[in-house]
């Protein structure tokens, strides 16, 4: 659970609360999907998956909000409705990602 | 004049002695500093080489272990074809469960594009998931049918082919080595985004038809409890404001697994999703007022659970029974399930969060209920509770028994007796099939400062 809180904090600490839960929900959706690693740590530490892992932000101590967001996501709250990917439209460059239909937007992120 | 000359001479002799000394000293310091920097650079380069070497070794290991696991899968699938006994089949299938999980794990550790390996990862995970479901079928006295035999054959073909590909790539040295940059989202080579729309390519791995948590049928399932018609934005806004106050405004339409209207208010601290079809409340979350933690006393519990009940009634839910609860972040979370003909229908679950300070609802989630709920007849148990009790571990000290309809597989529901009991200081829930008397599933009930949950 703390690992989930740390990835939220590393990736989305400035985002609205719903956006923070959404990050954790994407991680859990990947765990449940056959196409991704089947554990939380496996999904988070998969090479290249999360910027917060590559740049070390995942090692910062999460705040209370991130911890609650992780708990809410673990309790099944999924504001993304099953999404497996998200990106920041202002900075994303991947053609593959940008071609995917966007299911919804929360804060800085588009979810697909 | 003379004084000036003496002074100038003194300055000159001072400079003649001290400048060379200072310059030599500075040169020595620079040399020492330069040597130290060079030594440090050498050390850093050595470390970089060492870490790069370790990364390459680690990737080589993952590649080879992946290859070994796939090879083992091939061998187990091959032997399975000629295994006569049910026990032998179950053992071979359990081997495949383990080997495919290992293969999927090794694959996930290789540094490469996720887009390129998604289908392979899915095949490996589903192969194991399917083997597990077939193993259960055999343990219940069933047999592999024609579809199973065909699918096992196609799995073997795929594993043989994959085995050959992996061996070749390892021999050529073309597996990811971890020393190069790669794009996590790079599509598979030769895939043009435009071309994929015109000519759907042959799937590289067989589609496996079975009922398990990772199967394609679960990914594609439609919500069964989404009653009503598609409503327009105006109707959605009216309903949102009627239920949760005039401050809500429509933000956008979302296209997750259930299409919904998304609402927020000015502060951005409230989020509400209403389904487009039927305007059911799908999700609601609002920041709680405090952050009280820890278990409530009995009186506080009653107030909290009654507030949750009241909220459910307001939303039009009837016949809901509270099951487990959790307390964190200033909220109390209750899981309610639909009770019908005396049986708890666990698939039809809603979650209600109540603010510990104000007793107001601060969250709601009906995703499970909307996917699952419809009127259905609860079967009549073929055996009594006392008879079912005989299948429970004899040393479990049973404290409660009730009927429950549980999802033994994602697409089926089975009527069971639910026994709650303790053994050796820990609490367990045991489900016994109400028709056959078989022990079907066991959970451990964890109780701590955060509440209770079944794992």
């Amino acid at each position: 659970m703390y690992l989930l809180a740390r990835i939220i904090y590393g990736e989305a600490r400035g985002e609205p609360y719903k956006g923070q839960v959404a990050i954790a929900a994407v991680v859990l959706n990947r765990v449940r999907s056959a196409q991704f690693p089947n554990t939380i740590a496996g999904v988070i530490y998969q090479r290249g998956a999360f910027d917060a892992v590559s740049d070390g932000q995942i090692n910062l101590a999460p705040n209370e909000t991130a911890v609650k967001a992780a708990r809410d996501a673990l309790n099944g709250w999924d504001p993304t409705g099953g999404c497996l990917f998200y990106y920041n439209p202002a900075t994303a460059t991947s053609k593959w990602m940008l071609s995917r239909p966007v299911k919804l937007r929360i804060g800085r992120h588009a979810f697909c | 004049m003379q004084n000036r000359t003496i002074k100038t001479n003194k300055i000159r002799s001072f400079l003649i002695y001290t400048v060379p000394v200072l310059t030599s000293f500075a040169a020595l310091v620079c040399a020492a500093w330069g040597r130290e920097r060079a030594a440090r650079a050498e050390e850093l380069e050595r470390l970089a080489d060492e870490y790069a070497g370790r990364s390459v070794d680690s990737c080589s290991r993952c590649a080879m272990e992946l290859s070994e696991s796939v090879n083992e899968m091939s061998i187990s699938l091959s032997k399975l074809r000629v295994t006569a006994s049910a026990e032998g089949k179950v053992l071979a299938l359990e081997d495949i469960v383990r080997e495919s999980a290992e293969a999927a794990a090794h694959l996930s550790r290789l540094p490469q594009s996720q887009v390129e390996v998604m289908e392979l990862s899915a095949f490996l995970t589903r192969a194991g998931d399917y083997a597990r479901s077939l193993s259960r079928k055999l343990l219940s006295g069933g047999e592999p049918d024609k579809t199973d035999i065909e699918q096992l054959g196609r799995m073997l073909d795929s594993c043989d082919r994959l085995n050959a590909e992996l061996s070749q790539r390892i021999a050529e040295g073309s597996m990811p080595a971890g020393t190069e940059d790669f794009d996590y989202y790079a599509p598979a080579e030769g895939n043009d985004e435009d071309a994929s729309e015109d000519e759907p390519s042959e799937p590289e791995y067989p589609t496996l038809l079975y009922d398990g948590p990772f199967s394609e049928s679960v990914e594609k399932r439609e919500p069964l409890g989404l009653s009503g018609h598609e409503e327009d934005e105006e109707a959605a806004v009216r309903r949102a404001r009627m239920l949760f106050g005039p401050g809500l405004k429509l933000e956008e339409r979302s296209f997750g697994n259930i299409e919904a209207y998304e609402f927020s208010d000015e502060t951005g601290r409230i989020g509400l999703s209403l389904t487009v079809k039927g305007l059911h409340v799908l999700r609601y979350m609002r920041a709680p007022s405090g952050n009280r933690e820890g278990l409530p006393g009995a009186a506080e519990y009653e107030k909290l659970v009654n507030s949750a009940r009241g909220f459910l009634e307001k939303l039009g839910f009837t016949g809901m029974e509270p099951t487990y609860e959790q307390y964190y972040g200033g909220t109390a979370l209750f899981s309610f399930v639909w009770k019908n003909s005396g049986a708890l229908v666990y698939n039809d679950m809603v979650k209600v969060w109540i603010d510990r300070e104000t007793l107001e609802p601060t969250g709601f989630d009906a995703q499970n209920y909307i996917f699952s709920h419809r009127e259905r007849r609860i079967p009549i148990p073929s055996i009594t509770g006392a008879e079912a009790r005989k299948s429970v571990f004899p040393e479990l000290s049973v404290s409660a028994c009730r009927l429950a309809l549980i999802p033994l597989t994602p697409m089926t529901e089975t009527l069971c007796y639910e026994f709650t009991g303790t053994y050796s200081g820990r609490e367990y829930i045991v489900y016994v099939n109400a028709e056959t008397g078989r022990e079907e599933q066991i959970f451990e009930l964890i109780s701590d400062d955060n509440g209770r949950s079944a794992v």
Side-chain angles (χ1 to χ4, degrees):
Chain A
M1 198 262 304
Y2 271 109
L3 184 59
L4 209 51
R6 277 160 48 199
I7 195 73
I8 292 172
Y9 190 69
E11 290 274 311
R13 57 180 170 276
E15 294 295 302
Y17 185 69
K18 191 167 142 181
Q20 296 190 24
V21 181
I23 301 296
V26 165
V27 171
L28 294 172
N29 288 335
R30 287 185 181 185
V31 174
R32 286 181 215 120
S33 162
Q35 296 169 326
F36 285 86
N38 298 325
T39 63
I40 294 178
V43 164
I44 288 176
Y45 284 108
Q46 189 186 19
R47 289 268 276 269
F50 294 97
D51 288 338
V53 174
S54 326
D55 66 20
Q57 300 227 37
I58 197 187
N59 296 317
L60 300 170
N63 60 11
E64 263 178 35
T65 312
V67 172
K68 181 171 185 290
R71 277 222 152 93
D72 283 340
L74 283 165
N75 280 317
W77 190 36
D78 179 6
T80 73
C83 287
L84 295 170
F85 299 94
Y86 65 90
Y87 63 92
N88 183 340
T91 57
T93 50
S94 160
K95 262 172 49 182
W96 181 87
M97 183 69 106
L98 291 167
S99 71
R100 289 181 68 84
V102 172
K103 306 246 176 102
L104 86 160
R105 274 165 244 272
I106 309 176
R108 270 185 324 197
H109 293 125
F111 291 83
C112 48
Chain B
M1 275 288 261
Q2 241 184 342
N3 282 343
R4 226 166 73 192
T5 316
I6 292 170
K7 211 172 176 183
T8 316
N9 282 341
K10 275 192 177 162
I11 289 171
R12 201 179 289 152
S13 41
F14 174 74
L15 287 173
I16 285 171
Y17 286 116
T18 57
V19 166
V21 168
L22 281 176
T23 316
S24 315
F25 183 67
L28 278 171
V29 166
C30 284
W33 179 73
R35 255 203 307 276
E36 202 232 309
R37 294 276 302 193
R40 180 134 174 76
E42 223 177 273
E43 173 70 6
L44 283 173
E45 210 180 300
R46 190 190 64 77
L47 278 175
D49 283 342
E50 192 183 311
Y51 291 148
R54 283 193 208 165
S55 174
V56 168
D57 288 345
S58 172
C59 289
S60 299
R61 179 184 163 173
C62 285
M64 287 195 228
E65 288 187 320
L66 168 63
S67 179
E68 262 178 48
S69 297
V70 171
N71 188 35
E72 283 169 4
M73 276 173 77
S74 281
I75 294 171
S76 298
L77 283 161
S78 170
K79 288 183 192 169
L80 179 60
R81 286 195 301 187
V82 295
T83 305
S85 68
E87 296 85 357
K89 288 187 172 101
V90 165
L91 286 173
L93 286 166
E94 291 296 324
D95 278 342
I96 293 166
V97 169
R98 179 179 49 80
E99 288 149 3
S100 63
E102 284 171 4
H106 296 311
L107 178 67
S108 78
R109 289 191 188 107
L110 287 169
Q112 60 198 331
S113 159
Q114 166 64 17
V115 179
E116 270 188 44
V117 300
M118 275 202 309
E119 292 319 307
L120 172 56
S121 174
F123 168 67
L124 292 170
T125 301
R126 287 179 183 140
D129 199 30
Y130 172 53
R132 170 58 57 77
S133 91
L134 190 51
S135 170
R136 276 198 214 278
K137 184 167 149 180
L138 295 179
L139 285 171
S140 317
E143 295 232 343
D145 59 28
K146 209 171 112 194
T147 311
D148 291 321
I149 294 174
E150 261 171 31
Q151 292 190 147
L152 290 169
R154 277 187 267 133
M155 273 163 67
L156 174 57
D157 290 339
S158 289
C159 287
D160 282 343
R161 187 171 42 81
L162 189 53
N163 202 14
E165 258 174 52
L166 286 169
S167 303
Q168 188 184 359
R169 284 186 65 186
I170 289 172
E172 284 169 1
S174 65
M175 290 292 279
T179 48
E180 285 165 5
D181 282 338
F182 65 94
D183 180 4
Y184 183 76
Y185 298 110
E189 262 166 40
N191 263 5
D192 197 346
E193 275 132 34
D194 299 321
S196 64
E197 278 184 36
D198 301 324
E199 302 150 14
S201 48
E202 274 289 309
E204 221 182 319
Y205 300 101
T207 301
L208 298 173
L209 299 172
Y210 70 96
D211 184 4
F214 291 107
S215 67
E216 285 190 53
S217 51
V218 165
E219 275 183 8
K220 294 187 178 135
R221 69 196 169 131
E222 295 290 322
L224 298 171
L226 200 52
S227 53
H229 306 285
E230 280 208 15
E231 303 282 352
D232 63 21
E233 285 180 13
E234 276 171 28
V237 170
R238 272 199 305 275
R239 180 150 170 82
R241 289 179 179 165
M242 183 189 78
L243 287 173
F244 295 103
L248 287 178
K249 58 182 179 8
L250 179 61
E251 300 278 321
E252 62 168 347
R253 196 156 158 162
S254 67
F255 299 91
N257 46 25
I258 302 177
E259 219 175 300
Y261 292 111
E262 305 290 332
F263 291 87
S264 182
D265 75 343
E266 267 168 19
T267 65
R269 284 159 71 81
I270 295 184
L272 170 68
S273 306
L274 292 183
T275 59
V276 169
K277 201 170 162 201
L279 296 182
H280 303 275
V281 181
L282 175 59
R283 281 180 287 270
Y284 169 71
M285 189 61 80
R286 197 182 76 188
S289 53
N291 49 16
R292 203 193 298 187
E293 306 250 324
L295 299 174
E300 192 194 344
Y301 171 80
E302 281 305 316
K303 286 191 205 156
L304 291 164
V305 78
N306 286 334
S307 175
R309 275 194 238 265
F311 182 59
L312 284 180
E313 273 173 34
K314 174 180 163 182
L315 292 179
F317 287 89
T318 52
M320 304 299 285
E321 179 98 355
T323 57
Y324 306 113
E325 51 303 308
Q326 284 194 43
Y327 306 97
Y328 61 94
T331 68
L333 163 61
F334 296 97
S335 299
F336 282 84
V337 303
W338 184 47
K339 190 166 178 183
N340 187 18
S341 305
L344 293 180
V345 182
Y346 276 102
N347 271 340
D348 297 13
M349 177 184 284
V350 296
K351 295 190 174 151
V352 184
W353 283 259
I354 300 291
D355 190 316
R356 299 275 300 261
E357 307 292 333
T358 66
L359 297 181
E360 291 292 312
T362 184
F364 177 79
D365 180 5
Q367 167 113 342
N368 285 346
Y369 189 92
I370 290 176
F371 259 97
S372 166
H373 180 69
R374 67 266 181 216
E375 284 300 325
R376 46 210 188 284
R377 204 177 53 82
I378 307 294
I380 297 171
S382 304
I383 60 175
T384 63
E387 284 165 336
R389 176 83 176 257
K390 293 180 194 156
S391 302
V392 175
F393 184 64
E395 284 158 67
L396 188 77
S397 173
V398 172
S399 56
C401 170
R402 55 188 180 181
L403 281 170
L405 202 62
I406 62 170
L408 285 180
T409 68
M411 307 302 259
T412 61
E413 289 178 316
T414 309
L415 185 67
C416 290
Y417 284 99
E418 177 189 273
F419 293 97
T420 307
T422 52
Y423 174 73
S424 191
R426 291 161 98 140
E427 213 174 347
Y428 300 91
I429 304 165
V430 179
Y431 289 96
V432 175
N433 194 311
E435 195 188 337
T436 63
R438 270 167 47 92
E439 178 189 68
E440 295 285 12
Q441 202 166 60
I442 297 180
F443 288 92
E444 185 170 345
L445 195 52
I446 310 283
S447 298
D448 58 23
D449 283 345
N450 292 318
R452 296 188 302 161
S453 55
V455 297

